[in-house]
Amino acid sequence: MIPLSVPNLAGNEWKYVKDCLDTNWVSSVGSYVNRMEELSATFCKVSNAIATSNGTAALHISLILSGVEKGDLVILPDITFVAPANVIKYMGADAVLIDIDKDTWQLDTALLARFLHEECLLQDNKCYHKQTKRRVAAVIPVHVLGNMVNMEKLLELAAAYHINVVEDATEALGSTYKGQPAGSFGLFGTLSYNGNKIITTGGGGMILTNDEILGKRAKHLTTQAKADNMEYYHDEVGYNYRLVNILAAMGVAQMEQLEGFVKRKQAITAFYNQELRTLPGFMPQVVTEHVAPNCWLYTAMFERAKELLNFLNANGVQTRPFWVPMNRLPAFKNDYYYNVADVSGVVYNNCLSLPCSTNITDAEAEQVVVNVKKFYA
Ligand SMILES: Cc1ncc(COP(=O)(O)O)c(C=O)c1O
């Protein structure tokens, strides 16, 4: 089976993990955690990076520190991996699910503008949804598949309506918008290093922010809110959300290879786009203007996509469907789905993801193409 997207551990992973074991620094503090934070801050061009146990934890802390409260509304694209939607619920808030753009498959900023202009109002510098009188506290632009949301438009709307931006850059580490790295635009940006991401620590995440005070607060909350160096005095409810040194060691080794990984992903995408372009119903994701994408997970529309998915999986090519839109999941079906034409439903029905690990060989990528063509033949 040619796998969909698996880790590529060809660098210093063994060496750095062994160093942790040899020196007994395996737990929640250590030099690799510090190094991983420094490397991430530098790469993403932010002043603070706080390593977390996973990307969901990074989102959770970011929403807490963005001031989201019980009963608030938080804006999210209808197509995303489920984690940010879950985190909205952890806060006792609900989502406003904005449909996606039909070409880029990112949160549709024109639709967002319409929602804010027509259905919301500003009162005492806070944004309220007119019909429900609930505060719209935050927006989570998720950079889906490594492409990016139109950040200029999104930031302009968020500023006009006093809505905090928590940028879920999990899938877009290494992508840029107008040359600026994903994750560095919002009040917070978040990353994940789970097994299928462009770099992995097995499990892990990162909070990014340019706000010094919030950066310190994030570190405090992720380390059980311990307020004294010696005494076990905790000044608020805290969380055990830190990345451990042994995983950060993997992360440091992965960061050393990130630029090469991005190049490889881009090359795989260019290859598939070229080879598959004449197939029935084929439509690749259109890159948002001004974006240089990391091409994290190759996904495209095809005619009879669900049949093709089954055919490829039965023929040694691991293939996966796109995420079920949030409005169709039991936990979010009562949240407000703001759409005109249910684009997310159309994209979901017609998309699938193809193998694109950074260590896929050219022969394997060729084999994927041969099998897709065989299906249509
Ligand atoms: C967009 C997005 N946000 C958040 C997450 C959650 O990250 P984690 O699995 O590290 O909790 C993922 C993937 O796992 C994701 O794709």
Side-chain angles (χ1 to χ4, degrees):
M1 187 65 111
I2 303 172
L4 184 74
S5 181
V6 290
N8 183 348
L9 307 173
N12 286 317
E13 289 82 3
W14 274 107
K15 186 174 157 199
Y16 295 166
V17 169
K18 184 172 182 308
D19 185 36
C20 295
L21 299 176
D22 288 344
T23 57
N24 221 19
W25 286 95
V26 294
S27 195
S28 54
V29 289
S31 62
Y32 288 104
V33 178
N34 300 342
R35 184 90 191 104
M36 185 64 182
E37 291 179 335
E38 284 160 15
L39 284 173
S40 304
T42 305
F43 186 87
C44 294
K45 298 194 177 137
V46 293
S47 53
N48 300 269
I50 301 94
T52 57
S53 48
N54 55 58
T56 308
L59 281 165
H60 191 192
I61 296 296
S62 298
L63 281 199
I64 292 172
L65 293 177
S66 298
V68 175
E69 289 173 0
K70 195 170 173 205
D72 282 343
L73 296 174
V74 176
I75 295 165
L76 187 73
D78 189 43
I79 288 253
T80 167
F81 179 69
V82 72
N86 281 336
V87 169
I88 291 170
K89 297 293 180 184
Y90 300 169
M91 304 302 300
D94 289 312
V96 175
L97 302 165
I98 304 283
D99 202 3
I100 56 167
D101 176 79
K102 69 177 180 30
D103 299 317
T104 65
W105 311 341
Q106 311 297 304
L107 185 150
D108 183 339
T109 48
L111 207 54
L112 174 63
R114 209 165 114 182
F115 169 74
L116 292 170
H117 298 335
E118 291 181 3
E119 302 216 9
C120 298
L121 56 79
L122 266 182
Q123 209 178 316
D124 302 329
N125 284 337
K126 288 180 180 160
C127 177
Y128 290 91
H129 182 231
K130 282 192 257 187
Q131 196 190 343
T132 58
K133 304 200 169 30
R134 296 171 74 178
R135 185 170 70 118
V136 181
V139 55
I140 308 179
V142 181
H143 300 310
V144 178
L145 300 169
N147 191 11
M148 287 179 69
V149 177
N150 175 344
M151 285 311 288
E152 197 164 283
K153 186 74 191 162
L154 186 120
L155 291 176
E156 183 190 306
L157 289 167
Y161 283 86
H162 296 261
I163 300 170
N164 284 327
V165 177
V166 174
E167 200 189 342
D168 188 341
T170 289
E171 298 170 11
L173 175 62
S175 305
T176 59
Y177 177 88
K178 291 195 171 175
Q180 189 181 329
S184 65
F185 290 87
L187 182 62
F188 290 99
T190 66
L191 301 171
S192 157
Y193 309 123
N194 87 358
N196 70 9
K197 295 297 174 294
I198 194 158
I199 66 163
T200 186
T201 58
M206 194 68 73
I207 300 169
L208 308 168
T209 181
N210 280 311
D211 186 307
E212 304 303 317
I213 294 168
L214 289 176
K216 286 201 176 72
R217 292 270 302 125
K219 174 125 188 226
H220 185 60
L221 286 183
T222 52
T223 46
Q224 302 282 28
K226 187 166 181 283
D228 189 277
N229 277 342
M230 184 60 69
E231 296 293 332
Y232 291 95
Y233 181 76
H234 307 264
D235 59 357
E236 58 188 309
V237 174
Y239 301 82
N240 178 14
Y241 277 176
R242 283 295 272 173
L243 184 68
V244 295
N245 201 44
I246 201 163
L247 298 182
M250 269 180 77
V252 169
Q254 291 272 286
M255 281 301 284
E256 292 170 353
Q257 302 162 82
L258 176 56
E259 278 180 31
F261 288 170
V262 171
K263 285 202 179 87
R264 181 66 184 142
K265 291 270 188 190
Q266 289 169 339
I268 297 164
T269 293
F271 174 72
Y272 284 149
N273 281 347
Q274 171 68 17
E275 294 295 317
L276 303 174
R277 69 190 186 287
T278 55
L279 293 180
F282 176 74
M283 214 176 91
Q285 185 184 31
V286 174
V287 177
T288 306
E289 204 183 355
H290 308 302
V291 170
N294 70 356
C295 301
W296 165 59
L297 188 66
Y298 186 83
T299 305
M301 290 215 228
F302 294 89
E303 203 172 288
R304 296 192 285 138
K306 301 287 180 202
E307 282 172 63
L308 174 60
L309 177 116
N310 292 332
F311 175 85
L312 292 175
N313 281 311
N315 284 278
V317 177
Q318 192 177 44
T319 310
R320 288 288 176 262
F322 209 7
W323 302 296
V324 175
M326 295 302 103
N327 81 82
R328 298 187 186 190
L329 300 181
F332 312 105
K333 71 176 186 330
N334 294 326
D335 291 30
Y336 187 15
Y337 174 34
Y338 191 73
N339 77 102
V340 174
D342 189 25
V343 176
S344 68
V346 175
V347 172
Y348 162 68
N349 284 334
N350 294 288
C351 266
L352 51 78
S353 305
L354 295 177
C356 54
S357 311
T358 53
N359 48 13
I360 191 174
T361 63
D362 289 349
E364 285 170 328
E366 182 64 46
Q367 200 50 36
V368 172
V369 168
V370 165
N371 275 283
V372 176
K373 287 184 174 166
K374 205 191 281 175
F375 171 79
Y376 289 106

